[in-house]
Short mmCIF file of all heavy atoms in Angstrom, two decimals:
data_model
loop_
_atom_site.label_atom_id
_atom_site.label_comp_id
_atom_site.label_asym_id
_atom_site.label_seq_id
_atom_site.Cartn_x
_atom_site.Cartn_y
_atom_site.Cartn_z
N MET Y 11 0.79 -1.19 -0.02
CA MET Y 11 0.01 0.05 0.01
C MET Y 11 0.89 1.32 0.00
O MET Y 11 0.35 2.37 -0.24
CB MET Y 11 -0.88 -0.04 1.23
CG MET Y 11 -2.23 0.46 1.00
SD MET Y 11 -3.01 -0.23 -0.39
CE MET Y 11 -4.43 0.66 -0.43
N VAL Y 12 2.13 1.03 0.32
CA VAL Y 12 3.02 2.37 0.25
C VAL Y 12 3.09 2.83 -1.11
O VAL Y 12 3.25 4.12 -1.33
CB VAL Y 12 4.37 1.86 0.87
CG1 VAL Y 12 5.39 3.04 0.76
CG2 VAL Y 12 4.31 1.41 2.27
N GLY Y 13 3.14 2.06 -2.10
CA GLY Y 13 3.23 2.55 -3.47
C GLY Y 13 2.09 3.48 -3.96
O GLY Y 13 2.32 4.47 -4.58
N TRP Y 14 0.86 3.22 -3.38
CA TRP Y 14 -0.18 4.09 -3.64
C TRP Y 14 -0.01 5.54 -3.05
O TRP Y 14 -0.33 6.54 -3.68
CB TRP Y 14 -1.51 3.46 -3.11
CG TRP Y 14 -2.75 4.27 -3.44
CD1 TRP Y 14 -3.49 4.94 -2.52
CD2 TRP Y 14 -3.25 4.69 -4.67
NE1 TRP Y 14 -4.56 5.66 -3.01
CE2 TRP Y 14 -4.39 5.53 -4.41
CE3 TRP Y 14 -2.93 4.51 -5.94
CZ2 TRP Y 14 -5.11 6.22 -5.40
CZ3 TRP Y 14 -3.65 5.08 -7.01
CH2 TRP Y 14 -4.80 5.90 -6.65
N ARG Y 15 0.50 5.50 -1.83
CA ARG Y 15 0.75 6.84 -1.13
C ARG Y 15 1.75 7.65 -1.86
O ARG Y 15 1.67 8.78 -1.86
CB ARG Y 15 1.10 6.56 0.28
CG ARG Y 15 0.06 5.98 1.11
CD ARG Y 15 0.47 5.83 2.56
NE ARG Y 15 -0.77 5.22 3.31
CZ ARG Y 15 -0.68 4.87 4.50
NH1 ARG Y 15 0.38 4.99 5.11
NH2 ARG Y 15 -1.76 4.32 5.04
N VAL Y 16 2.71 7.04 -2.47
CA VAL Y 16 3.81 7.68 -3.25
C VAL Y 16 3.10 8.35 -4.46
O VAL Y 16 3.38 9.49 -4.82
CB VAL Y 16 4.96 6.82 -3.60
CG1 VAL Y 16 5.91 7.45 -4.63
CG2 VAL Y 16 5.70 6.30 -2.42
N LEU Y 17 2.22 7.63 -5.12
CA LEU Y 17 1.52 8.11 -6.36
C LEU Y 17 0.61 9.23 -5.98
O LEU Y 17 0.41 10.20 -6.67
CB LEU Y 17 0.82 6.98 -6.95
CG LEU Y 17 1.63 5.96 -7.69
CD1 LEU Y 17 0.70 4.84 -8.24
CD2 LEU Y 17 2.50 6.51 -8.74
N GLU Y 18 0.08 9.15 -4.75
CA GLU Y 18 -0.84 10.35 -4.30
C GLU Y 18 -0.09 11.63 -4.07
O GLU Y 18 -0.62 12.68 -4.22
CB GLU Y 18 -1.52 9.90 -3.03
CG GLU Y 18 -2.62 8.96 -3.12
CD GLU Y 18 -3.25 8.65 -1.76
OE1 GLU Y 18 -2.62 8.83 -0.75
OE2 GLU Y 18 -4.40 8.07 -1.67
N ALA Y 19 1.24 11.46 -3.77
CA ALA Y 19 1.98 12.71 -3.53
C ALA Y 19 2.50 13.37 -4.84
O ALA Y 19 2.85 14.56 -4.82
CB ALA Y 19 3.26 12.32 -2.72
N PHE Y 20 2.43 12.70 -5.95
CA PHE Y 20 2.86 13.28 -7.24
C PHE Y 20 1.99 14.43 -7.72
O PHE Y 20 2.47 15.40 -8.24
CB PHE Y 20 2.90 12.26 -8.30
CG PHE Y 20 4.07 11.34 -8.24
CD1 PHE Y 20 4.03 9.94 -8.62
CD2 PHE Y 20 5.28 11.80 -7.93
CE1 PHE Y 20 5.08 9.16 -8.53
CE2 PHE Y 20 6.39 11.01 -7.92
CZ PHE Y 20 6.28 9.68 -8.21
N LEU Y 21 0.61 14.44 -7.47
CA LEU Y 21 -0.19 15.49 -7.92
C LEU Y 21 0.25 16.74 -7.16
O LEU Y 21 0.43 17.85 -7.81
CB LEU Y 21 -1.65 15.13 -7.76
CG LEU Y 21 -2.61 16.24 -8.14
CD1 LEU Y 21 -2.47 16.58 -9.60
CD2 LEU Y 21 -4.03 15.76 -7.86
N PRO Y 22 0.19 16.82 -5.82
CA PRO Y 22 0.63 18.09 -5.10
C PRO Y 22 2.07 18.55 -5.43
O PRO Y 22 2.26 19.60 -5.65
CB PRO Y 22 0.45 17.73 -3.65
CG PRO Y 22 -0.38 16.52 -3.51
CD PRO Y 22 -0.24 15.77 -4.88
N LEU Y 23 2.93 17.52 -5.64
CA LEU Y 23 4.28 17.93 -5.99
C LEU Y 23 4.29 18.56 -7.40
O LEU Y 23 5.07 19.60 -7.55
CB LEU Y 23 5.15 16.69 -5.95
CG LEU Y 23 6.65 16.90 -6.20
CD1 LEU Y 23 7.27 17.71 -5.18
CD2 LEU Y 23 7.31 15.48 -6.37
N GLY Y 24 3.58 18.01 -8.32
CA GLY Y 24 3.49 18.56 -9.64
C GLY Y 24 2.88 20.02 -9.61
O GLY Y 24 3.39 20.85 -10.33
N ILE Y 25 1.81 20.25 -8.79
CA ILE Y 25 1.22 21.48 -8.70
C ILE Y 25 2.22 22.57 -8.10
O ILE Y 25 2.34 23.64 -8.52
CB ILE Y 25 0.00 21.41 -7.78
CG1 ILE Y 25 -1.11 20.60 -8.50
CG2 ILE Y 25 -0.58 22.87 -7.45
CD1 ILE Y 25 -2.30 20.30 -7.76
N ILE Y 26 2.92 22.14 -7.05
CA ILE Y 26 3.92 22.99 -6.43
C ILE Y 26 5.03 23.37 -7.37
O ILE Y 26 5.42 24.58 -7.58
CB ILE Y 26 4.53 22.35 -5.12
CG1 ILE Y 26 3.41 22.27 -4.06
CG2 ILE Y 26 5.68 23.19 -4.56
CD1 ILE Y 26 3.76 21.49 -2.83
N ALA Y 27 5.63 22.34 -8.07
CA ALA Y 27 6.70 22.59 -9.08
C ALA Y 27 6.22 23.52 -10.20
O ALA Y 27 6.92 24.49 -10.63
CB ALA Y 27 7.13 21.20 -9.65
N GLY Y 28 4.98 23.30 -10.62
CA GLY Y 28 4.38 24.14 -11.68
C GLY Y 28 4.12 25.58 -11.30
O GLY Y 28 4.50 26.52 -12.03
N MET Y 29 3.78 25.85 -10.07
CA MET Y 29 3.56 27.17 -9.57
C MET Y 29 4.96 27.85 -9.39
O MET Y 29 5.00 29.08 -9.59
CB MET Y 29 2.84 27.15 -8.25
CG MET Y 29 1.39 26.84 -8.39
SD MET Y 29 0.44 28.04 -9.27
CE MET Y 29 0.14 27.04 -10.79
N LEU Y 30 5.87 27.11 -8.97
CA LEU Y 30 7.28 27.74 -8.88
C LEU Y 30 7.72 28.16 -10.19
O LEU Y 30 8.41 29.25 -10.40
CB LEU Y 30 8.31 26.70 -8.19
CG LEU Y 30 8.12 26.55 -6.71
CD1 LEU Y 30 8.98 25.40 -6.23
CD2 LEU Y 30 8.39 27.86 -5.91
N CYS Y 31 7.61 27.32 -11.13
CA CYS Y 31 7.99 27.59 -12.50
C CYS Y 31 7.18 28.88 -13.10
O CYS Y 31 7.82 29.77 -13.69
CB CYS Y 31 7.71 26.49 -13.50
SG CYS Y 31 8.86 25.14 -13.25
N VAL Y 32 5.93 28.95 -12.80
CA VAL Y 32 5.17 30.04 -13.24
C VAL Y 32 5.53 31.38 -12.59
O VAL Y 32 5.69 32.42 -13.29
CB VAL Y 32 3.57 29.81 -12.91
CG1 VAL Y 32 2.78 31.11 -13.08
CG2 VAL Y 32 3.09 28.75 -13.90
N MET Y 33 5.85 31.29 -11.29
CA MET Y 33 6.34 32.47 -10.52
C MET Y 33 7.65 32.97 -11.08
O MET Y 33 7.90 34.20 -11.19
CB MET Y 33 6.45 32.22 -9.04
CG MET Y 33 4.98 32.15 -8.38
SD MET Y 33 5.11 31.99 -6.60
CE MET Y 33 6.20 30.56 -6.40
N GLY Y 34 8.58 32.08 -11.37
CA GLY Y 34 9.90 32.45 -11.85
C GLY Y 34 9.84 33.05 -13.26
O GLY Y 34 10.43 34.05 -13.49
N ASN Y 35 8.99 32.51 -14.08
CA ASN Y 35 8.82 33.07 -15.41
C ASN Y 35 8.11 34.36 -15.40
O ASN Y 35 8.40 35.31 -16.25
CB ASN Y 35 8.09 32.10 -16.35
CG ASN Y 35 8.98 30.97 -16.79
OD1 ASN Y 35 10.16 31.13 -17.02
ND2 ASN Y 35 8.47 29.75 -16.80
N ALA Y 36 7.08 34.59 -14.49
CA ALA Y 36 6.54 35.84 -14.44
C ALA Y 36 7.48 36.88 -13.97
O ALA Y 36 7.41 38.03 -14.50
CB ALA Y 36 5.34 35.76 -13.31
N GLN Y 37 8.37 36.64 -12.98
CA GLN Y 37 9.40 37.59 -12.70
C GLN Y 37 10.27 38.00 -13.81
O GLN Y 37 10.61 39.17 -14.08
CB GLN Y 37 10.20 37.09 -11.51
CG GLN Y 37 9.57 37.02 -10.20
CD GLN Y 37 10.53 36.50 -9.08
OE1 GLN Y 37 11.47 36.02 -9.36
NE2 GLN Y 37 10.09 36.60 -7.82
N TYR Y 38 10.59 36.98 -14.57
CA TYR Y 38 11.48 37.26 -15.75
C TYR Y 38 10.74 38.18 -16.81
O TYR Y 38 11.32 39.20 -17.19
CB TYR Y 38 11.83 35.91 -16.38
CG TYR Y 38 12.54 36.11 -17.79
CD1 TYR Y 38 13.85 36.25 -17.94
CD2 TYR Y 38 11.78 35.87 -19.00
CE1 TYR Y 38 14.52 36.39 -19.15
CE2 TYR Y 38 12.28 36.04 -20.16
CZ TYR Y 38 13.68 36.25 -20.24
OH TYR Y 38 14.37 36.41 -21.44
N PHE Y 39 9.56 37.88 -17.10
CA PHE Y 39 8.84 38.63 -18.14
C PHE Y 39 8.52 40.03 -17.64
O PHE Y 39 8.46 40.98 -18.40
CB PHE Y 39 7.64 37.89 -18.64
CG PHE Y 39 7.99 36.74 -19.54
CD1 PHE Y 39 7.76 35.41 -19.15
CD2 PHE Y 39 8.58 36.93 -20.76
CE1 PHE Y 39 8.14 34.41 -19.94
CE2 PHE Y 39 8.90 35.88 -21.62
CZ PHE Y 39 8.60 34.57 -21.20
N ILE Y 40 8.25 40.17 -16.38
CA ILE Y 40 7.79 41.49 -15.80
C ILE Y 40 9.20 42.37 -15.86
O ILE Y 40 9.10 43.51 -16.29
CB ILE Y 40 7.19 41.41 -14.39
CG1 ILE Y 40 5.83 40.81 -14.46
CG2 ILE Y 40 7.30 42.75 -13.71
CD1 ILE Y 40 5.25 40.41 -13.10
N HIS Y 41 10.24 41.78 -15.40
CA HIS Y 41 11.49 42.51 -15.37
C HIS Y 41 11.87 42.94 -16.85
O HIS Y 41 12.33 44.04 -17.15
CB HIS Y 41 12.58 41.75 -14.76
CG HIS Y 41 13.89 42.57 -14.61
ND1 HIS Y 41 14.13 43.34 -13.52
CD2 HIS Y 41 14.97 42.69 -15.46
CE1 HIS Y 41 15.30 44.03 -13.66
NE2 HIS Y 41 15.82 43.49 -14.84
N LYS Y 42 11.72 41.97 -17.83
CA LYS Y 42 12.03 42.21 -19.17
C LYS Y 42 11.28 43.32 -19.70
O LYS Y 42 11.75 44.21 -20.53
CB LYS Y 42 12.06 40.96 -20.02
CG LYS Y 42 12.58 41.10 -21.37
CD LYS Y 42 12.64 39.79 -22.03
CE LYS Y 42 13.26 40.00 -23.47
NZ LYS Y 42 13.22 38.78 -24.21
N ALA Y 43 9.92 43.31 -19.40
CA ALA Y 43 9.02 44.36 -19.95
C ALA Y 43 9.29 45.78 -19.36
O ALA Y 43 9.25 46.81 -20.04
CB ALA Y 43 7.55 43.93 -19.63
N ALA Y 44 9.81 45.76 -18.07
CA ALA Y 44 10.02 47.02 -17.46
C ALA Y 44 11.37 47.61 -17.87
O ALA Y 44 11.46 48.85 -17.97
CB ALA Y 44 9.96 46.89 -15.96
N HIS Y 45 12.33 46.78 -18.06
CA HIS Y 45 13.78 47.32 -18.31
C HIS Y 45 14.22 47.01 -19.73
O HIS Y 45 15.26 47.53 -20.15
CB HIS Y 45 14.67 46.60 -17.30
CG HIS Y 45 14.42 47.03 -15.90
ND1 HIS Y 45 14.64 48.25 -15.35
CD2 HIS Y 45 13.75 46.40 -14.86
CE1 HIS Y 45 14.23 48.31 -14.08
NE2 HIS Y 45 13.71 47.10 -13.76
N GLY Y 46 13.50 46.23 -20.50
CA GLY Y 46 13.90 45.98 -21.78
C GLY Y 46 14.95 44.95 -22.02
O GLY Y 46 15.37 44.64 -23.18
N ARG Y 47 15.33 44.32 -21.02
CA ARG Y 47 16.39 43.23 -21.07
C ARG Y 47 16.26 42.29 -19.80
O ARG Y 47 15.64 42.76 -18.80
CB ARG Y 47 17.77 43.82 -21.16
CG ARG Y 47 18.08 44.53 -19.89
CD ARG Y 47 19.50 45.26 -19.97
NE ARG Y 47 19.66 45.99 -18.71
CZ ARG Y 47 20.67 46.63 -18.35
NH1 ARG Y 47 21.75 46.56 -19.08
NH2 ARG Y 47 20.73 47.27 -17.21
N PRO Y 48 16.70 41.17 -20.02
CA PRO Y 48 16.60 40.13 -18.84
C PRO Y 48 17.45 40.61 -17.71
O PRO Y 48 18.45 41.22 -17.77
CB PRO Y 48 17.13 38.84 -19.45
CG PRO Y 48 17.15 38.92 -20.83
CD PRO Y 48 17.22 40.45 -21.19
N LYS Y 49 17.02 40.23 -16.49
CA LYS Y 49 17.88 40.53 -15.27
C LYS Y 49 19.01 39.69 -15.22
O LYS Y 49 19.02 38.45 -15.51
CB LYS Y 49 17.00 40.31 -14.04
CG LYS Y 49 17.65 40.75 -12.76
CD LYS Y 49 16.81 40.49 -11.51
CE LYS Y 49 17.38 41.02 -10.27
NZ LYS Y 49 18.77 40.71 -9.99
N HIS Y 50 20.15 40.25 -14.95
CA HIS Y 50 21.44 39.50 -14.73
C HIS Y 50 21.51 38.89 -13.33
O HIS Y 50 21.07 39.46 -12.36
CB HIS Y 50 22.66 40.44 -14.87
CG HIS Y 50 22.78 41.03 -16.21
ND1 HIS Y 50 23.08 40.27 -17.34
CD2 HIS Y 50 22.56 42.27 -16.74
CE1 HIS Y 50 23.18 41.05 -18.46
NE2 HIS Y 50 22.81 42.24 -18.03
N ILE Y 51 21.87 37.63 -13.40
CA ILE Y 51 21.92 36.89 -12.05
C ILE Y 51 22.93 37.49 -11.14
O ILE Y 51 24.13 37.67 -11.65
CB ILE Y 51 22.14 35.35 -12.33
CG1 ILE Y 51 21.15 34.85 -13.29
CG2 ILE Y 51 22.12 34.66 -11.02
CD1 ILE Y 51 19.70 34.92 -12.76
N GLY Y 52 22.77 37.73 -9.91
CA GLY Y 52 23.73 38.20 -8.99
C GLY Y 52 24.01 39.66 -9.17
O GLY Y 52 25.09 40.12 -8.77
N ASN Y 53 23.07 40.48 -9.71
CA ASN Y 53 23.25 41.77 -10.01
C ASN Y 53 22.79 42.64 -8.71
O ASN Y 53 21.59 42.65 -8.50
CB ASN Y 53 22.49 42.29 -11.26
CG ASN Y 53 22.98 43.58 -11.88
OD1 ASN Y 53 24.08 43.96 -11.41
ND2 ASN Y 53 22.21 44.12 -12.67
N ASP Y 54 23.70 43.19 -7.94
CA ASP Y 54 23.33 43.84 -6.71
C ASP Y 54 23.50 45.32 -6.89
O ASP Y 54 23.79 45.86 -8.04
CB ASP Y 54 24.11 43.36 -5.57
CG ASP Y 54 25.65 43.42 -5.73
OD1 ASP Y 54 26.11 43.99 -6.72
OD2 ASP Y 54 26.32 43.05 -4.88
N VAL Y 55 23.43 46.04 -5.80
CA VAL Y 55 23.52 47.52 -5.75
C VAL Y 55 24.87 48.01 -6.30
O VAL Y 55 24.93 48.96 -7.01
CB VAL Y 55 23.21 48.10 -4.33
CG1 VAL Y 55 23.39 49.62 -4.40
CG2 VAL Y 55 21.86 47.66 -3.93
N TRP Y 56 25.90 47.33 -5.97
CA TRP Y 56 27.21 47.74 -6.39
C TRP Y 56 27.35 47.57 -7.89
O TRP Y 56 27.93 48.49 -8.60
CB TRP Y 56 28.28 46.79 -5.65
CG TRP Y 56 29.63 47.05 -6.20
CD1 TRP Y 56 30.44 46.41 -7.04
CD2 TRP Y 56 30.52 48.25 -5.84
NE1 TRP Y 56 31.61 46.92 -7.26
CE2 TRP Y 56 31.78 48.09 -6.48
CE3 TRP Y 56 30.40 49.25 -4.94
CZ2 TRP Y 56 32.79 48.99 -6.32
CZ3 TRP Y 56 31.40 50.08 -4.79
CH2 TRP Y 56 32.59 50.00 -5.43
N ASP Y 57 26.83 46.44 -8.43
CA ASP Y 57 26.85 46.23 -9.93
C ASP Y 57 26.01 47.39 -10.62
O ASP Y 57 26.54 47.88 -11.67
CB ASP Y 57 26.35 44.99 -10.28
CG ASP Y 57 27.18 43.79 -9.80
OD1 ASP Y 57 28.46 43.91 -9.80
OD2 ASP Y 57 26.64 42.74 -9.33
N VAL Y 58 24.93 47.74 -10.06
CA VAL Y 58 24.13 48.79 -10.74
C VAL Y 58 24.92 50.14 -10.68
O VAL Y 58 24.88 50.81 -11.62
CB VAL Y 58 22.78 48.90 -9.99
CG1 VAL Y 58 21.98 50.17 -10.47
CG2 VAL Y 58 21.95 47.65 -10.20
N ALA Y 59 25.54 50.48 -9.56
CA ALA Y 59 26.30 51.72 -9.43
C ALA Y 59 27.43 51.69 -10.47
O ALA Y 59 27.78 52.72 -11.05
CB ALA Y 59 26.84 51.88 -7.98
N MET Y 60 28.17 50.63 -10.55
CA MET Y 60 29.36 50.54 -11.50
C MET Y 60 28.75 50.62 -12.99
O MET Y 60 29.46 51.28 -13.88
CB MET Y 60 30.02 49.28 -11.36
CG MET Y 60 30.79 49.15 -10.08
SD MET Y 60 32.14 50.41 -9.87
CE MET Y 60 31.27 51.52 -8.79
N GLU Y 61 27.64 50.05 -13.24
CA GLU Y 61 27.07 50.15 -14.70
C GLU Y 61 26.67 51.66 -14.89
O GLU Y 61 26.93 52.12 -16.02
CB GLU Y 61 25.82 49.23 -14.77
CG GLU Y 61 25.27 49.22 -16.11
CD GLU Y 61 24.15 48.29 -16.25
OE1 GLU Y 61 24.01 47.32 -15.33
OE2 GLU Y 61 23.22 48.51 -17.12
N ARG Y 62 26.07 52.25 -13.94
CA ARG Y 62 25.78 53.70 -14.13
C ARG Y 62 26.98 54.58 -14.34
O ARG Y 62 27.03 55.41 -15.15
CB ARG Y 62 24.95 54.24 -12.88
CG ARG Y 62 24.27 55.42 -13.00
CD ARG Y 62 23.42 55.85 -11.84
NE ARG Y 62 22.57 54.73 -11.32
CZ ARG Y 62 22.48 54.34 -10.02
NH1 ARG Y 62 23.16 54.98 -9.21
NH2 ARG Y 62 21.72 53.37 -9.67
N ARG Y 63 28.11 54.26 -13.57
CA ARG Y 63 29.31 54.96 -13.63
C ARG Y 63 29.97 54.80 -15.00
O ARG Y 63 30.38 55.75 -15.64
CB ARG Y 63 30.29 54.57 -12.51
CG ARG Y 63 31.65 55.29 -12.63
CD ARG Y 63 32.77 54.41 -12.05
NE ARG Y 63 32.91 53.31 -12.87
CZ ARG Y 63 33.85 52.39 -12.61
NH1 ARG Y 63 34.76 52.51 -11.75
NH2 ARG Y 63 33.98 51.34 -13.41
N ASP Y 64 29.91 53.53 -15.48
CA ASP Y 64 30.53 53.18 -16.79
C ASP Y 64 29.73 53.99 -17.91
O ASP Y 64 30.34 54.52 -18.81
CB ASP Y 64 30.53 51.68 -17.01
CG ASP Y 64 31.45 51.01 -16.12
OD1 ASP Y 64 32.34 51.67 -15.48
OD2 ASP Y 64 31.35 49.76 -16.04
N LYS Y 65 28.38 53.97 -17.83
CA LYS Y 65 27.66 54.62 -18.82
C LYS Y 65 27.96 56.18 -18.85
O LYS Y 65 28.06 56.72 -19.97
CB LYS Y 65 26.14 54.46 -18.47
CG LYS Y 65 25.20 54.95 -19.64
CD LYS Y 65 23.80 54.82 -19.27
CE LYS Y 65 23.35 53.32 -19.26
NZ LYS Y 65 21.89 53.15 -19.02
N LYS Y 66 28.10 56.76 -17.69
CA LYS Y 66 28.43 58.15 -17.54
C LYS Y 66 29.77 58.43 -18.15
O LYS Y 66 29.95 59.37 -18.88
CB LYS Y 66 28.38 58.64 -16.12
CG LYS Y 66 28.57 60.07 -15.87
CD LYS Y 66 28.48 60.48 -14.44
CE LYS Y 66 28.66 61.87 -14.14
NZ LYS Y 66 28.71 62.24 -12.77
N LEU Y 67 30.79 57.60 -17.81
CA LEU Y 67 32.14 57.86 -18.45
C LEU Y 67 32.13 57.67 -19.95
O LEU Y 67 32.74 58.39 -20.61
CB LEU Y 67 33.05 56.78 -17.81
CG LEU Y 67 33.41 57.04 -16.35
CD1 LEU Y 67 34.36 55.89 -15.76
CD2 LEU Y 67 34.24 58.32 -16.31
N MET Y 68 31.33 56.63 -20.47
CA MET Y 68 31.27 56.54 -21.89
C MET Y 68 30.60 57.77 -22.63
O MET Y 68 31.06 58.16 -23.67
CB MET Y 68 30.48 55.21 -22.28
CG MET Y 68 31.28 53.97 -21.90
SD MET Y 68 32.90 53.86 -22.62
CE MET Y 68 32.56 53.64 -24.32
N GLU Y 69 29.61 58.37 -21.96
CA GLU Y 69 28.95 59.58 -22.50
C GLU Y 69 29.91 60.69 -22.46
O GLU Y 69 30.08 61.41 -23.41
CB GLU Y 69 27.68 59.97 -21.70
CG GLU Y 69 26.56 59.01 -21.88
CD GLU Y 69 25.39 59.31 -20.96
OE1 GLU Y 69 25.53 60.25 -20.17
OE2 GLU Y 69 24.35 58.58 -21.04
N ILE Y 70 30.78 60.87 -21.38
CA ILE Y 70 31.71 61.96 -21.39
C ILE Y 70 32.78 61.70 -22.41
O ILE Y 70 33.12 62.72 -23.05
CB ILE Y 70 32.39 61.94 -19.94
CG1 ILE Y 70 31.33 62.46 -18.93
CG2 ILE Y 70 33.66 62.84 -19.97
CD1 ILE Y 70 31.75 62.33 -17.52
N LEU Y 71 33.32 60.49 -22.56
CA LEU Y 71 34.31 60.21 -23.58
C LEU Y 71 33.70 60.38 -24.98
O LEU Y 71 34.62 60.74 -25.90
CB LEU Y 71 34.86 58.84 -23.40
CG LEU Y 71 35.64 58.71 -22.15
CD1 LEU Y 71 36.11 57.21 -22.03
CD2 LEU Y 71 36.99 59.53 -22.21
N SER Y 72 32.62 60.13 -25.34
CA SER Y 72 31.99 60.11 -26.67
C SER Y 72 31.58 61.50 -27.03
O SER Y 72 31.37 61.82 -28.18
CB SER Y 72 30.86 59.15 -26.84
OG SER Y 72 29.84 59.54 -26.03
N SER Y 73 31.38 62.33 -26.09
CA SER Y 73 30.90 63.83 -26.39
C SER Y 73 32.13 64.55 -26.87
O SER Y 73 33.27 64.39 -26.37
CB SER Y 73 30.32 64.40 -25.14
OG SER Y 73 31.27 64.68 -24.13
N PRO Y 74 31.84 65.45 -27.88
CA PRO Y 74 33.00 66.26 -28.33
C PRO Y 74 33.41 67.22 -27.28
O PRO Y 74 32.68 67.91 -26.64
CB PRO Y 74 32.34 67.08 -29.53
CG PRO Y 74 30.92 66.94 -29.25
CD PRO Y 74 30.59 65.72 -28.45
N SER Y 75 34.69 67.32 -27.14
CA SER Y 75 35.34 68.17 -26.08
C SER Y 75 35.34 69.69 -26.69
O SER Y 75 35.61 69.83 -27.82
CB SER Y 75 36.69 67.71 -25.77
OG SER Y 75 37.52 67.76 -26.86
N THR Y 76 34.98 70.60 -25.77
CA THR Y 76 35.08 71.96 -26.27
C THR Y 76 36.27 72.62 -25.62
O THR Y 76 36.48 72.53 -24.47
CB THR Y 76 33.78 72.77 -25.71
OG1 THR Y 76 33.70 72.58 -24.27
CG2 THR Y 76 32.54 72.14 -26.27
N PRO Y 77 37.11 73.21 -26.54
CA PRO Y 77 38.38 73.90 -25.99
C PRO Y 77 37.94 75.18 -25.28
O PRO Y 77 37.03 75.86 -25.60
CB PRO Y 77 39.07 74.20 -27.27
CG PRO Y 77 38.10 74.19 -28.40
CD PRO Y 77 36.95 73.29 -27.98
N ASN Y 78 38.71 75.52 -24.32
CA ASN Y 78 38.55 76.76 -23.48
C ASN Y 78 39.28 77.86 -24.00
O ASN Y 78 40.38 78.06 -24.25
CB ASN Y 78 38.81 76.54 -22.00
CG ASN Y 78 37.71 75.64 -21.31
OD1 ASN Y 78 36.64 75.52 -21.89
ND2 ASN Y 78 38.05 74.95 -20.31
#
């Protein structure tokens, strides 16, 4: 009778696994819609600050310099 109990556990396990997949994909698509690109894994506040700094430096370097 133990085999039947194992089979009874598959339905809730499948529902839980399916909901986890749905939640993960929802986060992915919401972030992609909001920011236009997928979220990088392990991207924290420091990485965001460095990306902002790099973008600012590239804008400064690409802008034509005005002589004084």
